[in-house]
Amino acid sequence: MEIKPTKFINNMLNTGHTNKFEIPSLCPWCGVSFNPTIDRVATFDESDAHTFVLQMHCNYCGKKSINVVIGKDYSNMVQQMLYPAPKARQFDDLLVNLSPRFISLYQSAERAEQIGDLDLAGMGYRASLEILLKDFALKSTDDSKEKIATFNLGVAINKYFGDNPFGMIPADVVRLDANDFVHWDRPDDFDPVMTLEEMKSYLEIFITVVKTRQMIAHPPVKRYKK
C-alpha cells in the first residue's frame, strides 16, 4: 500500500445533499489508484451518527468491494470497515532480515490506522521506529544489546544518527509527533489525521535511509580484488 491508504471524496449518493466520506486510495483487490463507481447499498441513521454501506466498483479490475463509513454529519464520514481488507505492506528482505519485529509493529500500526484507531497507530509507528533504529545499531556497531537497551529513543537517535541529518531529522520528527499520541496532555488543536500523515512521511524517509545503509553494507556483487 502507498503511504496514504485512504482519501476523502464528495458524492451525492442520491441523498439530496453532498456527502464527504473516506475510501481507500488504492483498490483493495488490484492495488491500482482508486476512483470507483460507488453505490449506496444501505443507510442506518441514529440520533448521533449516520452509517452508509457502500458498494465500490473498481474501474480498472472490475471487482467490487464493500466499505462502511460512519459520521455525526454527512460532511466527514470515516471508514470503519472494508472488504476485502487491504494487504499489509511488504518490505525488502534486507529490512525483514535486519528487524522482523519492526515489520510486525509497522503492520500492526497500519491495521490500527485502517480501522480508525489513530492513537494506537501513532504509538505503533513510533514503536516501530525505535525497534528499527536499535536493531540497526545492534547489527552495525559494536555496542551490546544491553548497552543499546539503556538508551531512550532521543538518546539513541543522537548517538547512532547524530552525524547524519537524513536519518536524525526524520527520526526526531516521528519521535516528537508521536508524543501527542502517547501523552495525556496534548494541544487543543491537535489534528490526529494530519499528524499521522506527517509521521508516516518522515518515518518513510528514515526507513529509506536504513535500507540504503543496508544495501551498501550488503551489496549483491563486490569489486574483484587481486
Side-chain angles (χ1 to χ4, degrees):
M1 304 297 288
E2 64 177 11
I3 294 174
K4 186 177 181 182
T6 62
K7 62 183 178 182
F8 280 89
I9 65 170
N10 295 309
N11 194 310
M12 294 288 286
L13 294 175
N14 297 319
T15 59
H17 49 77
T18 299
N19 308 282
K20 183 179 180 181
F21 51 86
E22 191 177 24
I23 68 168
S25 58
L26 302 179
C27 173
W29 289 106
C30 67
V32 170
S33 184
F34 206 33
N35 291 292
T37 302
I38 301 175
D39 295 315
R40 180 167 51 98
V41 177
T43 303
F44 304 95
D45 289 320
E46 299 180 2
S47 59
D48 60 345
H50 307 285
T51 302
F52 288 170
V53 180
L54 307 175
Q55 179 177 267
M56 303 180 295
H57 180 269
C58 179
N59 294 317
Y60 183 80
C61 71
K63 292 186 177 180
K64 295 180 180 179
S65 53
I66 298 294
N67 191 18
V68 178
V69 296
I70 188 170
K72 292 183 179 180
D73 55 50
Y74 297 107
S75 63
N76 190 32
M77 304 187 74
V78 178
Q79 177 178 289
Q80 294 295 303
M81 188 178 73
L82 176 67
Y83 175 82
K87 296 178 181 178
R89 176 179 174 179
Q90 301 302 304
F91 289 89
D92 189 278
D93 285 346
L94 284 170
L95 293 175
V96 173
N97 294 330
L98 172 69
S99 184
R101 189 177 169 204
F102 156 73
I103 307 297
S104 176
L105 273 170
Y106 187 100
Q107 291 175 344
S108 294
E110 193 176 47
R111 287 192 296 272
E113 181 186 5
Q114 288 164 356
I115 63 172
D117 287 338
L118 301 189
D119 280 340
L120 288 177
M123 296 176 198
Y125 287 126
R126 186 257 185 222
S128 74
L129 166 73
E130 181 165 359
I131 297 300
L132 179 60
L133 189 155
K134 291 185 175 180
D135 278 344
F136 173 78
L138 184 63
K139 297 288 179 65
S140 61
T141 73
D142 294 328
D143 289 348
S144 67
K145 181 178 180 180
E146 290 73 23
K147 181 177 181 179
I148 295 171
T150 65
F151 301 139
N152 64 35
L153 181 55
V155 171
I157 292 170
N158 188 62
K159 180 171 177 60
Y160 299 114
F161 287 91
D163 60 349
N164 180 358
F166 295 102
M168 182 184 69
I169 292 173
D172 267 339
V173 171
V174 174
R175 176 179 66 87
L176 294 171
D177 275 353
N179 285 340
D180 287 331
F181 290 104
V182 174
H183 296 154
W184 172 74
D185 186 23
R186 63 187 181 190
D188 292 337
D189 60 352
F190 174 65
D191 185 332
V193 174
M194 183 177 71
T195 303
L196 196 66
E197 289 302 322
E198 182 176 88
M199 275 184 68
K200 289 166 57 185
S201 295
Y202 279 89
L203 177 57
E204 192 66 25
I205 296 172
F206 184 79
I207 293 169
T208 300
V209 169
V210 171
K211 179 184 173 182
T212 301
R213 295 276 291 269
Q214 288 296 101
M215 291 173 69
I216 293 171
H218 306 283
V221 295
K222 295 184 179 180
R223 177 175 294 197
Y224 176 76
K225 294 182 179 180
K226 294 184 178 180

